Amino acid sequence: MSIKVTLIPGDGIGPEVSYAAQSVITASHAPIEWEVVEAGEACIAEYGTPLPEHVLETIRRNKVALKGPITTPVGKGFRSVNVALRKQLQLYANVRHLKNLPNVPSRYEGVDIVVVRENTEDLYAGIEHMVGCDAAESIKIITREASERIGRYAFELARQEGRKRVTIVHKANIMKLSDGLFLESVRSVAHDYPEIECEDRIVDAMCMNLVQTPEQFDVLVLPNLYGDIISDLVAGIVGGLGVAPGANIGEMGAVFEAAHGSAPQIAGKNLANPLAMILSGIEMLKYLGFTEEAKRVETGIEHVLRQRDYITADLGGKSGTKEMAAAIIKAMG
Ligand code: NAD
């Protein structure tokens, strides 16, 4: 029986990388039936919003979506569709598997880190206001419930993937109440996972440690804002946003998407690297339990990266988006 998955092509390079990922996943023989729906700029004229209700409906119904990047207009109009999606669907965990890939330029070797970011609260709760004309206040929300939930998610992931250590990242020395509660809550969950080492680091020291010796880290768990920053930092460590997959996971479903944005400068030119989107597709296959199919795609990617004949310009090659996806499909056998 096939599983229905919502595909949102997105804006800018979104359609190019999404259809590339769709073709690769389909070629893996995973029994997936795609339901394609538009969200983003294309919807604004027709529906007055980049995230129409029927898009949310299909994700709620299918419970799994693969989503291309969506442009967020700066300073005017709509708030981020991505933030809205995570909130509406209660996708509380943002997860990025970031590791060195063959022939992907990076200053480091042997990095294999999972960043688990709390996705629903912290300064992203969006509670801010002006205090008079010359001051602004933004309120940071941290709850025991959400902190324990993300902590448990991180430790469960570590257990399932056979990982050894979870590092809690915080600034509890200064924000003793909010970050203190996050630290205390995640630590309280750690007791249920005695086989996994639990340690914590202050976020500024963590940045330095990551830049100096990233290979020492395994699973990181962070509140929303530090998670946002550190997940891009680790993406940079393994070769940039072009190779960084992502997943937003909740109790009612999951949305898989590349870490990069809609890159409007290169949209429609067949220049975008489809790898981050394809790697997000691999995460989706694993989430759905299609481990053999996921392995098949991994093998195809590894072959294409080692051979270097069909890689995009950002990886030092001359290939287009479509040609790279086709080469991966060919190498999957
Ligand atoms: P971006 O990730 O789109 O681009 C940053 C740089 O990386 C650019 O030079 C771009 O050309 C390059 N790049 C990105 N993806 C690439 C790929 N697959 N292959 C080759 N090069 C790639 O970030 P930005 O310019 O800050 O954002 C552009 C738009 O995307 C904004 O509207 C932003 O809000 C949106 N955005 C959306 C998401 C999402 O939907 N999840 C995430 C981030 C940004």
Side-chain angles (χ1 to χ4, degrees), residues 30-118:
I32 287 175
E33 188 188 331
W34 302 93
E35 184 175 355
V36 181
V37 283
E38 295 287 346
E41 289 176 321
C43 290
I44 296 176
E46 192 173 346
Y47 300 100
T49 166
L51 185 61
E53 188 51 37
H54 70 266
V55 175
L56 287 167
E57 281 274 336
T58 93
I59 307 176
R60 281 197 196 101
R61 191 171 355 101
N62 296 330
K63 299 191 168 48
V64 179
L66 184 63
K67 173 188 157 293
I70 289 180
T71 300
T72 305
V74 176
K76 62 179 164 65
F78 302 92
R79 51 192 285 250
S80 162
V81 168
N82 308 303
V83 176
L85 251 179
R86 289 168 199 168
K87 260 199 145 153
Q88 291 275 342
L89 300 169
Q90 272 295 305
L91 303 172
Y92 68 86
N94 179 277
V95 185
R96 286 200 200 161
H97 283 79
L98 299 163
K99 63 177 183 179
N100 284 124
L101 294 169
N103 287 327
V104 172
S106 158
R107 290 168 186 268
Y108 305 91
E109 281 174 14
V111 179
D112 181 359
I113 295 175
V114 188
V115 181
V116 178
R117 163 188 169 194
E118 205 290 323

Coordinates of all heavy atoms in Angstrom, one line a residue, residues 30-118:
A30 N 10.3 3.7 -3.3 CA 9.5 3.9 -2.1 C 8.0 4.0 -2.5 O 7.7 4.8 -3.5 CB 9.9 5.1 -1.3
P31 N 7.1 3.3 -1.9 CA 5.7 3.4 -2.4 C 5.0 4.7 -1.9 O 4.2 4.7 -0.9 CB 5.1 2.1 -1.7 CG 5.9 1.9 -0.5 CD 7.3 2.4 -0.8
I32 N 5.4 5.8 -2.6 CA 4.8 7.1 -2.1 C 3.9 7.6 -3.2 O 4.3 7.6 -4.4 CB 6.0 8.0 -1.8 CG1 6.6 7.6 -0.5 CG2 5.5 9.5 -1.8 CD1 7.9 8.4 -0.1
E33 N 2.8 8.1 -2.8 CA 1.9 8.8 -3.8 C 1.9 10.3 -3.4 O 1.7 10.7 -2.2 CB 0.5 8.3 -3.6 CG -0.5 8.8 -4.6 CD -1.9 8.3 -4.2 OE1 -2.1 7.3 -3.6 OE2 -2.9 9.1 -4.6
W34 N 2.3 11.1 -4.4 CA 2.5 12.6 -4.1 C 1.2 13.4 -4.3 O 0.6 13.3 -5.3 CB 3.6 13.1 -5.0 CG 4.9 12.4 -4.9 CD1 5.3 11.3 -5.6 CD2 6.0 12.6 -3.9 NE1 6.6 10.9 -5.2 CE2 7.0 11.7 -4.2 CE3 6.1 13.6 -2.9 CZ2 8.2 11.7 -3.5 CZ3 7.3 13.5 -2.2 CH2 8.3 12.6 -2.5
E35 N 1.0 14.2 -3.3 CA -0.1 15.2 -3.5 C 0.6 16.6 -3.5 O 1.1 17.1 -2.5 CB -1.1 15.1 -2.3 CG -2.3 16.1 -2.5 CD -3.3 15.9 -1.4 OE1 -3.2 15.0 -0.5 OE2 -4.3 16.7 -1.4
V36 N 0.6 17.2 -4.7 CA 1.3 18.5 -4.9 C 0.4 19.7 -4.6 O -0.7 19.8 -5.2 CB 1.9 18.6 -6.3 CG1 2.7 19.8 -6.5 CG2 2.8 17.3 -6.6
V37 N 0.8 20.5 -3.7 CA 0.1 21.7 -3.4 C 1.0 23.0 -3.3 O 2.1 22.8 -2.9 CB -0.7 21.7 -2.1 CG1 -2.0 20.9 -2.2 CG2 0.1 21.2 -0.9
E38 N 0.5 24.1 -3.8 CA 1.3 25.3 -3.8 C 1.1 26.0 -2.5 O 0.0 26.1 -1.9 CB 0.8 26.2 -5.0 CG 1.0 25.7 -6.4 CD 2.4 25.7 -6.8 OE1 3.3 26.4 -6.1 OE2 2.8 25.1 -7.8
A39 N 2.3 26.6 -2.0 CA 2.2 27.6 -0.9 C 3.2 28.6 -1.3 O 4.1 28.4 -2.2 CB 2.5 26.9 0.4
G40 N 3.2 29.8 -0.7 CA 4.2 30.8 -0.9 C 3.7 31.9 -1.8 O 2.5 32.2 -1.9
E41 N 4.6 32.6 -2.6 CA 4.3 33.8 -3.3 C 3.1 33.5 -4.3 O 2.2 34.4 -4.5 CB 5.5 34.2 -4.1 CG 6.6 34.8 -3.2 CD 7.8 35.2 -4.0 OE1 8.3 34.4 -4.9 OE2 8.4 36.2 -3.6
A42 N 3.1 32.3 -4.9 CA 2.1 32.0 -6.0 C 0.7 32.1 -5.4 O -0.3 32.3 -6.1 CB 2.4 30.7 -6.6
C43 N 0.5 31.9 -4.1 CA -0.8 31.8 -3.5 C -1.4 33.2 -3.1 O -2.6 33.3 -2.8 CB -0.8 30.9 -2.2 SG -0.5 29.2 -2.6
I44 N -0.5 34.1 -2.9 CA -0.9 35.4 -2.3 C -2.0 36.1 -3.1 O -3.0 36.5 -2.6 CB 0.3 36.3 -2.1 CG1 1.3 35.7 -1.1 CG2 -0.1 37.7 -1.5 CD1 2.5 36.4 -0.8
A45 N -1.8 36.1 -4.5 CA -2.8 36.8 -5.3 C -4.2 36.1 -5.2 O -5.2 36.7 -5.1 CB -2.3 36.8 -6.8
E46 N -4.1 34.8 -5.3 CA -5.4 34.0 -5.3 C -6.1 33.9 -4.0 O -7.3 34.0 -3.8 CB -5.1 32.6 -5.9 CG -6.4 31.9 -6.2 CD -6.1 30.6 -7.0 OE1 -5.0 30.4 -7.4 OE2 -7.0 29.8 -7.1
Y47 N -5.3 33.7 -2.9 CA -5.9 33.4 -1.6 C -5.7 34.5 -0.5 O -6.2 34.4 0.6 CB -5.4 32.0 -1.1 CG -5.6 30.9 -1.9 CD1 -4.6 30.4 -2.8 CD2 -6.9 30.2 -2.0 CE1 -4.9 29.3 -3.6 CE2 -7.1 29.1 -2.8 CZ -6.1 28.7 -3.6 OH -6.4 27.6 -4.4
G48 N -4.8 35.4 -0.9 CA -4.6 36.5 0.1 C -3.6 36.1 1.2 O -3.4 36.8 2.1
T49 N -3.1 34.9 1.1 CA -2.1 34.4 2.1 C -1.2 33.4 1.4 O -1.6 32.7 0.5 CB -2.8 33.7 3.3 OG1 -1.9 33.0 4.0 CG2 -3.9 32.8 2.8
P50 N 0.1 33.4 1.9 CA 1.0 32.4 1.3 C 0.8 31.0 1.8 O 1.4 30.0 1.3 CB 2.4 32.9 1.7 CG 2.1 33.8 2.9 CD 0.8 34.3 2.9
L51 N -0.1 30.9 2.9 CA -0.3 29.6 3.5 C -1.8 29.3 3.6 O -2.4 29.4 4.7 CB 0.4 29.5 4.9 CG 0.4 28.2 5.6 CD1 1.1 27.1 4.8 CD2 1.0 28.3 7.0
P52 N -2.5 29.0 2.5 CA -3.9 28.9 2.6 C -4.3 27.6 3.4 O -3.5 26.7 3.6 CB -4.3 28.6 1.1 CG -3.1 28.9 0.3 CD -1.9 28.8 1.1
E53 N -5.5 27.7 3.9 CA -6.0 26.7 4.9 C -5.9 25.3 4.2 O -5.6 24.3 4.9 CB -7.4 27.0 5.3 CG -8.0 26.1 6.4 CD -7.1 25.9 7.6 OE1 -6.5 26.9 8.1 OE2 -7.1 24.8 8.2
H54 N -6.2 25.2 2.9 CA -6.2 23.8 2.3 C -4.8 23.2 2.3 O -4.7 22.0 2.2 CB -6.8 23.9 0.9 CG -6.0 24.6 -0.2 ND1 -6.1 25.9 -0.5 CD2 -5.0 24.1 -0.9 CE1 -5.2 26.2 -1.4 NE2 -4.5 25.1 -1.7
V55 N -3.8 24.0 2.3 CA -2.4 23.5 2.4 C -2.2 22.8 3.7 O -1.7 21.6 3.8 CB -1.3 24.6 2.1 CG1 0.1 24.0 2.3 CG2 -1.5 25.1 0.7
L56 N -2.6 23.5 4.8 CA -2.5 22.9 6.1 C -3.3 21.7 6.2 O -2.9 20.7 6.8 CB -3.0 24.0 7.2 CG -2.0 25.1 7.4 CD1 -2.7 26.2 8.2 CD2 -0.8 24.7 8.2
E57 N -4.5 21.7 5.6 CA -5.4 20.6 5.6 C -4.7 19.3 5.0 O -4.8 18.2 5.6 CB -6.6 20.9 4.7 CG -7.7 21.7 5.3 CD -8.6 20.9 6.1 OE1 -8.8 19.6 5.9 OE2 -9.2 21.5 7.0
T58 N -4.1 19.5 3.9 CA -3.5 18.3 3.2 C -2.3 17.7 4.1 O -2.2 16.5 4.2 CB -2.9 18.5 1.8 OG1 -1.6 18.8 1.8 CG2 -3.7 19.5 1.0
I59 N -1.6 18.6 4.8 CA -0.5 18.1 5.6 C -1.1 17.4 6.8 O -0.6 16.3 7.2 CB 0.5 19.2 6.1 CG1 1.0 20.0 4.9 CG2 1.6 18.6 6.8 CD1 1.9 21.2 5.2
R60 N -2.2 18.0 7.4 CA -2.8 17.3 8.5 C -3.3 16.0 8.1 O -3.3 15.0 8.9 CB -4.0 18.2 9.0 CG -3.6 19.4 9.9 CD -4.7 19.9 10.7 NE -4.4 21.2 11.2 CZ -4.8 22.4 10.7 NH1 -5.6 22.4 9.7 NH2 -4.4 23.5 11.2
R61 N -3.9 15.9 6.9 CA -4.5 14.6 6.5 C -3.4 13.6 6.2 O -3.4 12.5 6.6 CB -5.3 14.9 5.2 CG -6.2 13.7 4.8 CD -7.2 14.0 3.7 NE -7.2 15.4 3.2 CZ -6.7 15.9 2.1 NH1 -6.0 15.1 1.3 NH2 -6.8 17.2 1.8
N62 N -2.3 14.0 5.4 CA -1.3 13.0 5.0 C -0.3 12.8 6.1 O 0.4 11.8 6.1 CB -0.6 13.5 3.7 CG -1.5 13.6 2.6 OD1 -2.5 12.8 2.5 ND2 -1.3 14.5 1.6
K63 N -0.1 13.8 7.0 CA 0.8 13.7 8.2 C 2.3 13.8 7.8 O 3.1 13.9 8.7 CB 0.5 12.5 9.0 CG -0.9 12.4 9.6 CD -1.0 11.3 10.6 CE -2.3 11.4 11.4 NZ -3.5 11.6 10.6
V64 N 2.6 13.8 6.5 CA 4.0 13.9 6.1 C 4.1 14.8 4.9 O 3.3 14.7 4.0 CB 4.6 12.6 5.8 CG1 6.1 12.7 5.4 CG2 4.5 11.6 7.0
A65 N 5.0 15.8 4.9 CA 5.2 16.7 3.8 C 6.7 16.9 3.5 O 7.5 16.8 4.4 CB 4.5 18.0 4.0
L66 N 7.0 17.0 2.2 CA 8.3 17.5 1.7 C 8.1 18.8 1.1 O 7.3 19.0 0.3 CB 8.8 16.5 0.7 CG 10.2 16.7 0.2 CD1 11.3 16.6 1.3 CD2 10.6 15.7 -1.0
K67 N 8.9 19.8 1.7 CA 8.5 21.2 1.3 C 9.8 21.9 0.8 O 10.8 21.9 1.4 CB 8.0 21.9 2.6 CG 7.8 23.3 2.5 CD 7.5 23.9 3.9 CE 7.9 25.4 3.9 NZ 9.3 25.7 3.7
G68 N 9.6 22.6 -0.3 CA 10.6 23.5 -0.8 C 10.7 24.8 -0.1 O 9.7 25.1 0.7
P69 N 11.8 25.6 -0.2 CA 11.9 26.8 0.5 C 10.8 27.9 0.1 O 10.4 27.8 -1.1 CB 13.3 27.3 0.2 CG 13.6 26.6 -1.1 CD 12.9 25.3 -1.1
I70 N 10.4 28.7 1.0 CA 9.4 29.7 0.7 C 10.0 31.1 1.0 O 10.5 31.3 2.1 CB 8.1 29.4 1.4 CG1 7.5 28.2 0.8 CG2 7.1 30.6 1.4 CD1 6.2 27.7 1.4
T71 N 9.8 32.0 0.1 CA 10.3 33.4 0.3 C 9.5 34.1 1.4 O 8.3 34.1 1.4 CB 10.2 34.2 -1.0 OG1 11.0 33.5 -2.0 CG2 10.7 35.6 -0.9
T72 N 10.3 34.8 2.3 CA 9.6 35.6 3.3 C 9.9 37.1 3.0 O 11.1 37.5 3.0 CB 10.2 35.3 4.7 OG1 10.0 33.9 5.0 CG2 9.4 36.1 5.8
P73 N 8.9 37.9 2.6 CA 9.2 39.3 2.3 C 9.7 40.0 3.6 O 9.2 39.7 4.7 CB 7.8 39.8 1.9 CG 6.9 38.7 1.8 CD 7.5 37.5 2.5
V74 N 10.8 40.8 3.4 CA 11.4 41.4 4.6 C 10.6 42.7 5.0 O 10.3 43.5 4.2 CB 12.9 41.7 4.3 CG1 13.5 42.5 5.5 CG2 13.6 40.5 4.0
G75 N 10.3 42.8 6.3 CA 9.8 44.0 6.8 C 8.4 44.4 6.5 O 7.9 45.4 6.9
K76 N 7.7 43.6 5.6 CA 6.3 44.0 5.3 C 5.5 42.7 5.0 O 6.1 41.6 4.8 CB 6.3 44.8 4.0 CG 6.8 44.2 2.8 CD 6.7 45.1 1.6 CE 7.6 44.7 0.4 NZ 7.3 43.5 -0.2
G77 N 4.2 42.8 5.0 CA 3.4 41.7 4.6 C 3.4 40.6 5.6 O 3.3 40.8 6.8
F78 N 3.6 39.4 5.1 CA 3.4 38.2 5.9 C 4.5 37.8 6.7 O 5.7 37.9 6.3 CB 3.0 37.0 4.9 CG 1.8 37.4 4.1 CD1 2.0 38.0 2.9 CD2 0.5 37.2 4.6 CE1 0.9 38.3 2.1 CE2 -0.6 37.6 3.8 CZ -0.4 38.1 2.6
R79 N 4.2 37.2 7.9 CA 5.3 36.6 8.7 C 5.7 35.3 8.0 O 5.1 34.9 7.1 CB 4.9 36.4 10.1 CG 3.5 35.7 10.3 CD 3.1 35.8 11.7 NE 3.9 34.9 12.5 CZ 3.4 33.8 13.0 NH1 2.2 33.5 12.9 NH2 4.2 33.1 13.7
S80 N 6.8 34.7 8.5 CA 7.3 33.6 7.8 C 6.3 32.4 7.7 O 5.7 32.0 8.7 CB 8.6 33.1 8.5 OG 8.9 31.8 8.2
V81 N 6.1 31.9 6.5 CA 5.3 30.7 6.3 C 5.8 29.5 7.1 O 5.1 28.7 7.7 CB 5.2 30.3 4.8 CG1 4.6 29.0 4.6 CG2 4.4 31.4 4.1
N82 N 7.2 29.5 7.2 CA 7.8 28.4 7.9 C 7.5 28.4 9.3 O 7.2 27.3 9.9 CB 9.3 28.4 7.6 CG 9.6 28.5 6.1 OD1 9.1 27.7 5.4 ND2 10.2 29.6 5.7
V83 N 7.6 29.5 10.0 CA 7.3 29.6 11.4 C 5.8 29.3 11.6 O 5.4 28.6 12.5 CB 7.6 31.1 11.9 CG1 7.2 31.2 13.4 CG2 9.1 31.3 11.8
A84 N 4.9 29.8 10.7 CA 3.5 29.6 10.8 C 3.2 28.1 10.7 O 2.4 27.6 11.5 CB 2.7 30.4 9.8
L85 N 3.8 27.4 9.8 CA 3.6 26.0 9.6 C 4.0 25.2 10.9 O 3.2 24.3 11.3 CB 4.5 25.5 8.5 CG 3.9 25.1 7.2 CD1 5.0 24.6 6.2 CD2 2.8 24.0 7.3
R86 N 5.1 25.5 11.4 CA 5.6 24.8 12.6 C 4.7 25.0 13.8 O 4.4 24.1 14.5 CB 7.0 25.3 13.0 CG 8.1 24.9 12.0 CD 9.4 25.7 12.2 NE 10.2 25.6 11.0 CZ 11.3 26.3 10.8 NH1 11.7 27.2 11.7 NH2 12.0 26.2 9.7
K87 N 4.1 26.3 13.9 CA 3.2 26.6 15.0 C 1.9 25.9 14.8 O 1.4 25.2 15.7 CB 3.0 28.1 15.0 CG 3.8 28.7 16.1 CD 3.3 30.1 16.5 CE 3.5 30.3 17.9 NZ 3.6 31.7 18.3
Q88 N 1.3 26.0 13.6 CA 0.0 25.5 13.3 C -0.1 24.0 13.5 O -1.0 23.4 13.9 CB -0.4 25.8 11.9 CG -0.7 27.3 11.6 CD -2.1 27.6 11.9 OE1 -2.9 26.8 12.1 NE2 -2.3 28.9 12.1
L89 N 1.0 23.3 13.1 CA 1.0 21.8 13.1 C 1.7 21.3 14.3 O 1.9 20.1 14.4 CB 1.7 21.3 11.8 CG 1.0 21.7 10.5 CD1 1.9 21.3 9.3 CD2 -0.4 21.1 10.4
Q90 N 2.1 22.2 15.2 CA 2.8 21.8 16.5 C 4.0 20.9 16.2 O 4.2 19.8 16.8 CB 1.8 21.1 17.4 CG 1.1 22.1 18.3 CD 2.1 22.8 19.3 OE1 2.8 22.1 20.1 NE2 2.1 24.1 19.3
L91 N 4.9 21.4 15.2 CA 6.1 20.6 14.9 C 7.2 21.1 15.8 O 7.9 22.0 15.6 CB 6.4 20.9 13.4 CG 5.3 20.6 12.4 CD1 5.7 21.1 11.0 CD2 5.0 19.1 12.3
Y92 N 7.2 20.4 16.9 CA 8.0 20.9 18.1 C 9.5 20.7 18.0 O 10.3 21.3 18.6 CB 7.5 20.4 19.4 CG 7.7 18.9 19.6 CD1 8.9 18.5 20.2 CD2 6.7 18.0 19.3 CE1 9.1 17.1 20.4 CE2 6.9 16.7 19.5 CZ 8.1 16.2 20.0 OH 8.3 14.9 20.2
A93 N 9.9 19.7 17.1 CA 11.4 19.4 17.0 C 11.9 19.7 15.6 O 11.4 19.2 14.6 CB 11.6 17.9 17.3
N94 N 12.9 20.6 15.6 CA 13.6 20.8 14.3 C 14.9 20.0 14.4 O 15.7 20.2 15.3 CB 13.9 22.3 14.1 CG 14.6 22.6 12.8 OD1 15.8 22.4 12.8 ND2 13.9 22.9 11.8
V95 N 15.1 19.1 13.4 CA 16.2 18.2 13.5 C 17.0 18.3 12.3 O 16.5 18.2 11.1 CB 15.7 16.7 13.6 CG1 16.8 15.8 13.8 CG2 14.7 16.6 14.8
R96 N 18.3 18.5 12.5 CA 19.2 18.5 11.3 C 20.4 17.5 11.5 O 21.1 17.6 12.5 CB 19.8 19.9 11.1 CG 18.8 20.8 10.5 CD 19.6 22.0 9.9 NE 18.7 23.1 9.8 CZ 19.2 24.4 9.6 NH1 20.5 24.6 9.6 NH2 18.4 25.4 9.5
H97 N 20.5 16.5 10.6 CA 21.6 15.6 10.6 C 22.7 16.3 9.7 O 22.5 16.4 8.5 CB 21.2 14.3 10.0 CG 20.4 13.4 10.9 ND1 19.1 13.6 11.2 CD2 20.8 12.3 11.7 CE1 18.7 12.7 12.1 NE2 19.7 11.9 12.4
L98 N 23.8 16.6 10.3 CA 24.9 17.3 9.6 C 26.2 16.6 9.7 O 26.7 16.4 10.8 CB 25.0 18.7 10.2 CG 23.7 19.6 10.1 CD1 23.7 20.8 11.0 CD2 23.4 20.0 8.6
K99 N 26.6 16.1 8.5 CA 27.9 15.4 8.5 C 28.7 15.6 7.3 O 28.2 16.0 6.2 CB 27.7 13.9 8.7 CG 26.9 13.2 7.6 CD 26.8 11.7 7.9 CE 26.1 11.0 6.8 NZ 26.0 9.6 7.0
N100 N 30.0 15.4 7.4 CA 30.9 15.6 6.2 C 30.5 14.6 5.1 O 30.2 13.4 5.4 CB 32.4 15.3 6.6 CG 33.0 16.5 7.3 OD1 33.5 16.3 8.4 ND2 32.9 17.6 6.8
L101 N 30.4 15.0 3.9 CA 30.1 14.1 2.8 C 31.4 14.1 1.9 O 32.1 15.1 1.8 CB 28.9 14.7 2.0 CG 27.6 14.7 2.7 CD1 26.6 15.5 2.0 CD2 27.1 13.3 2.9
P102 N 31.5 13.0 1.1 CA 32.7 12.9 0.3 C 32.8 14.0 -0.7 O 31.8 14.4 -1.4 CB 32.5 11.5 -0.5 CG 31.3 10.9 0.0 CD 30.6 11.8 1.0
N103 N 34.0 14.6 -0.8 CA 34.3 15.7 -1.8 C 33.5 17.0 -1.6 O 33.4 17.8 -2.5 CB 34.1 15.2 -3.2 CG 35.2 14.3 -3.6 OD1 36.4 14.4 -3.2 ND2 35.0 13.3 -4.4
V104 N 32.8 17.1 -0.5 CA 32.1 18.4 -0.3 C 33.0 19.2 0.6 O 33.4 18.8 1.7 CB 30.7 18.2 0.5 CG1 30.2 19.5 0.9 CG2 29.8 17.4 -0.4
P105 N 33.5 20.4 0.0 CA 34.6 21.1 0.6 C 34.2 21.6 2.0 O 33.1 22.1 2.3 CB 34.7 22.4 -0.3 CG 34.1 22.0 -1.6 CD 33.0 21.0 -1.3
S106 N 35.1 21.3 3.0 CA 34.9 21.7 4.4 C 36.2 21.8 5.0 O 37.2 21.1 4.6 CB 34.0 20.6 5.1 OG 34.2 20.7 6.5
R107 N 36.3 22.6 6.1 CA 37.6 22.7 6.8 C 37.8 21.6 7.7 O 38.9 21.5 8.4 CB 37.7 24.0 7.6 CG 37.7 25.3 6.8 CD 37.5 26.5 7.6 NE 37.4 27.7 6.8 CZ 38.5 28.4 6.5 NH1 39.6 28.2 7.0 NH2 38.3 29.5 5.7
Y108 N 36.8 20.7 7.9 CA 36.9 19.7 9.0 C 36.6 18.3 8.4 O 36.1 18.2 7.3 CB 35.8 20.0 10.0 CG 35.9 21.4 10.6 CD1 35.2 22.5 10.0 CD2 36.7 21.7 11.7 CE1 35.3 23.7 10.5 CE2 36.8 22.9 12.2 CZ 36.1 24.0 11.6 OH 36.2 25.3 12.1
E109 N 37.0 17.3 9.2 CA 36.7 15.9 8.8 C 36.1 15.2 10.0 O 36.3 15.6 11.1 CB 38.1 15.2 8.5 CG 38.6 15.5 7.1 CD 40.0 14.9 7.0 OE1 40.4 14.0 7.8 OE2 40.7 15.3 6.0
G110 N 35.4 14.2 9.7 CA 34.8 13.3 10.8 C 33.7 14.0 11.6 O 33.5 13.6 12.7
V111 N 33.0 15.0 11.0 CA 31.9 15.6 11.7 C 30.6 14.9 11.4 O 30.3 14.6 10.3 CB 31.8 17.1 11.3 CG1 30.6 17.7 12.1 CG2 33.1 17.9 11.6
D112 N 29.9 14.5 12.5 CA 28.6 13.8 12.3 C 27.8 14.2 13.5 O 27.8 13.6 14.6 CB 28.8 12.3 12.3 CG 27.6 11.5 12.1 OD1 26.5 12.2 12.0 OD2 27.6 10.3 12.0
I113 N 27.0 15.3 13.3 CA 26.3 15.9 14.5 C 24.8 16.0 14.1 O 24.4 16.3 13.0 CB 26.8 17.4 14.7 CG1 28.3 17.4 15.2 CG2 25.9 18.1 15.7 CD1 28.9 18.7 15.4
V114 N 24.0 15.7 15.1 CA 22.5 16.0 15.0 C 22.2 17.1 15.9 O 22.4 17.1 17.1 CB 21.7 14.7 15.4 CG1 20.2 15.0 15.0 CG2 22.2 13.5 14.8
V115 N 21.6 18.2 15.3 CA 21.1 19.3 16.0 C 19.6 19.2 16.2 O 18.9 19.1 15.3 CB 21.5 20.7 15.3 CG1 21.0 21.9 16.1 CG2 23.0 20.8 15.0
V116 N 19.2 19.2 17.5 CA 17.8 19.1 17.9 C 17.4 20.4 18.5 O 17.8 20.7 19.6 CB 17.6 17.9 18.8 CG1 16.1 17.8 19.2 CG2 18.0 16.6 18.2
R117 N 16.6 21.1 17.8 CA 16.2 22.5 18.2 C 14.7 22.5 18.6 O 13.9 22.1 17.9 CB 16.5 23.4 17.0 CG 15.8 24.8 17.1 CD 16.0 25.5 15.8 NE 15.1 26.7 15.7 CZ 14.9 27.3 14.6 NH1 15.5 27.0 13.4 NH2 14.1 28.4 14.6
E118 N 14.4 23.1 19.8 CA 13.0 23.3 20.2 C 12.4 24.3 19.2 O 13.0 25.4 19.0 CB 13.0 23.8 21.6 CG 11.7 23.4 22.4 CD 10.5 24.2 21.9 OE1 10.7 25.4 21.6 OE2 9.4 23.7 21.8

